[in-house]
Amino acid sequence: VIRLMDASAIAEVLERMNRDPSTAVDADLAREIAEREGVKAIVAGDVGMLGRGYVVSAQLVSSADGGVLVALRETADDDGEIIAAVDRLSAKLRERIGESFKSVRASEPLDRVTTSSLEALRAYSRAVRTEDAGDLEGAISLLEEAIILDSTFAMAYRKLAVLLTNSFAPRSQINAAATLAFELRDRLPAIERNLAAAYYYAYVEYDQAKEAAAYRSVLQVDPDQTTALNNLSIILQAQRRYEDAEELLRHAVELDPTGSAFTFNLAWTQYAGGRIDAARQSINRYAEAVPGNPYALFLKSWLASAEHDYLLADSYIDSVNATQGASLTWRSFVSGTRAAHAETRGQLGRAERRRSRGYTPPTETNRLRRCVSWMRPSSAIHSTRWNPPTDPTPR
């Protein structure tokens, strides 16, 4: 069974490429559209002269590598027979297309965000996957790469602001990235425009009513937009509307079971609402979906500490350190979390030793200094004290 992209779907992709939706689609452009959307193949055709007649040809081309899967041709004695030749060609192509697709592996669609640069979109999409795998520093580096490739890539700036927030970067860095996304919002379609505005209202202008309105506007257009579901739930959590927040997060987890932020926030909401067993079940389901992911161990450590089992919590967090110790961000998470566990038990000396042993202030990292080269000049960078990440996580 073959599902074709219709004209409206193609026009939507062209808009995200900053092209006129009525642009004629040649073979090269069709391949880029296919790669962005995870489409397996394209059909390219041609009508050429052959003496007094015509030859009609068609190729089924793999989107992944440009390889020709099927090549067919038909002839027409004159222009009156061209339509009949096309019909015969179509019939042959339909016979061959199913068998050809057996050898074609579907590629994962790239993220549906606006940029004219395919390379920038590839980097952005890798950044999202890298973040979900637990490598925040690698994800930030990929977003930097995307911004270098397209300096007007608003959603890359927005996503960078999110990752800087989640890795406890200086507020000036977060604000700079969020502001750049906000200033570029007018060139974006409605969903992206509201996402950029919402993050700006949350971290720069501090207007929760505007932030919530922006996320609700996104969900009116697309009820399955996971970023809006997640971040609106954070606002509801702050208002202690735990049931409403959980409803949004359950939907986000259904749509993306491997999204670390969605599961963390769902478990946090369930625990805050007094549903501890539900929180444990959510964490266990996530751990089964992404075996070996450091976020799964971190979530288990968080729940154990919430239940005052600090030995178990430390064992989980030590497992994170064993696999992620080379990461500055995870070293910070591990040392800060273990320090918090010690502080809670009144072991202040041990807490100080644990914090100093593994934590490096954000202002001393090369990662954050790299961001300055492409961000607008701002006031002095202020370091922020690391706190255990027990608060909801923006997406």
Side-chain angles (χ1 to χ4, degrees):
V1 176
I2 303 303
R3 181 172 62 86
L4 302 179
M5 280 190 74
D6 61 25
S8 62
I10 293 171
E12 181 184 327
V13 182
L14 289 170
E15 285 189 87
R16 292 202 303 271
M17 295 168 67
N18 289 322
R19 295 202 183 205
D20 187 328
S22 62
T23 300
V25 179
D26 60 17
D28 290 338
L29 182 54
R31 271 196 65 196
E32 179 172 346
I33 291 172
E35 181 176 350
R36 285 172 178 256
E37 295 297 287
V39 174
K40 280 188 174 184
I42 66 167
V43 176
D46 184 62
V47 179
M49 295 289 294
L50 181 66
R52 295 182 179 180
Y54 297 87
V55 59
V56 183
S57 61
Q59 293 181 329
L60 182 68
V61 180
S62 169
S63 303
D65 58 13
V68 176
L69 304 173
V70 178
L72 300 169
R73 57 185 291 173
E74 282 287 331
T75 58
D77 293 336
D78 55 46
D79 56 7
E81 293 188 9
I82 289 178
I83 299 300
V86 170
D87 287 342
R88 294 194 301 272
L89 193 68
S90 298
K92 289 181 179 179
L93 184 60
R94 287 195 296 273
E95 289 175 3
R96 300 278 301 278
I97 200 168
E99 187 68 26
S100 302
F101 267 25
K102 290 181 180 180
S103 62
V104 179
R105 180 176 298 177
S107 60
E108 188 174 349
L110 302 178
D111 280 69
R112 293 179 169 90
V113 290
T114 299
T115 173
S116 58
S117 169
L118 178 58
E119 287 297 327
L121 184 59
R122 288 170 178 159
Y124 179 96
S125 300
R126 289 198 303 273
V128 173
R129 293 193 293 271
T130 300
E131 176 204 7
D132 280 336
D135 184 0
L136 286 177
E137 292 167 35
I140 288 172
S141 294
L142 286 165
L143 289 173
E144 292 175 1
E145 179 183 330
I147 289 167
I148 290 170
L149 291 165
D150 179 4
S151 62
T152 65
F153 195 168
M155 296 308 285
Y157 287 116
R158 182 207 164 275
K159 186 65 174 178
L160 180 64
V162 172
L163 296 193
L164 291 173
T165 300
N166 292 345
S167 56
F168 306 99
R171 177 65 65 178
S172 59
Q173 295 278 346
I174 298 166
N175 288 359
T179 299
L180 284 167
F182 183 76
E183 291 176 347
L184 291 164
R185 73 192 185 285
D186 288 342
R187 64 180 66 200
L188 300 175
I191 287 178
E192 295 175 52
R193 182 169 63 249
N194 281 300
L195 289 176
Y199 213 77
Y200 176 84
Y201 295 138
Y203 286 90
V204 181
E205 193 172 304
Y206 303 111
D207 190 324
Q208 192 176 85
K210 287 184 179 180
E211 179 193 3
Y215 286 131
R216 292 187 189 282
S217 295
V218 171
L219 294 175
Q220 285 178 354
V221 177
D222 181 4
D224 295 338
Q225 217 292 324
T226 53
T227 295
L229 289 168
N230 182 78
N231 292 2
L232 180 58
S233 79
I234 294 174
I235 298 173
L236 297 176
Q237 289 166 6
Q239 298 169 354
R240 298 183 182 275
R241 295 170 58 185
Y242 298 124
E243 291 184 6
D244 293 337
E246 183 175 344
E247 182 180 354
L248 295 178
L249 289 165
R250 281 188 175 280
H251 187 37
V253 170
E254 288 172 1
L255 294 166
D256 182 5
T258 63
S260 55
F262 310 147
T263 296
F264 179 86
N265 291 342
L266 175 60
W268 191 96
T269 300
Q270 290 167 330
Y271 187 89
R275 303 182 63 238
I276 299 173
D277 287 341
R280 183 179 292 105
Q281 290 171 7
S282 296
I283 292 171
N284 289 338
R285 280 194 298 269
Y286 175 74
E288 291 173 3
V290 287
N293 189 298
Y295 281 120
L297 293 168
F298 186 81
L299 283 167
K300 289 184 176 183
S301 174
W302 167 78
L303 185 60
S305 66
E307 296 182 298
H308 311 295
D309 189 343
Y310 298 107
L311 290 176
L312 180 60
D314 279 350
S315 70
Y316 283 131
I317 210 69
D318 287 344
S319 297
V320 174
N321 193 49
T323 59
Q324 305 294 323
S327 163
L328 171 65
T329 301
W330 280 108
R331 277 208 315 274
S332 299
F333 280 2
V334 168
S335 61
T337 300
R338 296 199 75 206
H341 294 168
E343 283 178 342
T344 303
R345 288 177 284 180
Q347 300 168 350
L348 302 186
R350 177 178 293 182
E352 188 59 32
R353 288 192 299 273
R354 285 178 171 179
R355 181 169 285 115
S356 61
R357 186 180 304 145
Y359 178 58
T360 302
T363 51
E364 295 180 11
T365 68
N366 291 330
R367 168 174 62 76
L368 293 175
R369 282 200 293 268
R370 284 202 308 271
C371 298
V372 178
S373 63
W374 43 259
M375 281 188 177
R376 174 176 302 154
S378 60
S379 58
I381 295 175
H382 304 285
S383 64
T384 53
R385 183 179 183 277
W386 192 91
N387 292 304
T390 54
D391 292 332
T393 304
R395 181 72 171 177

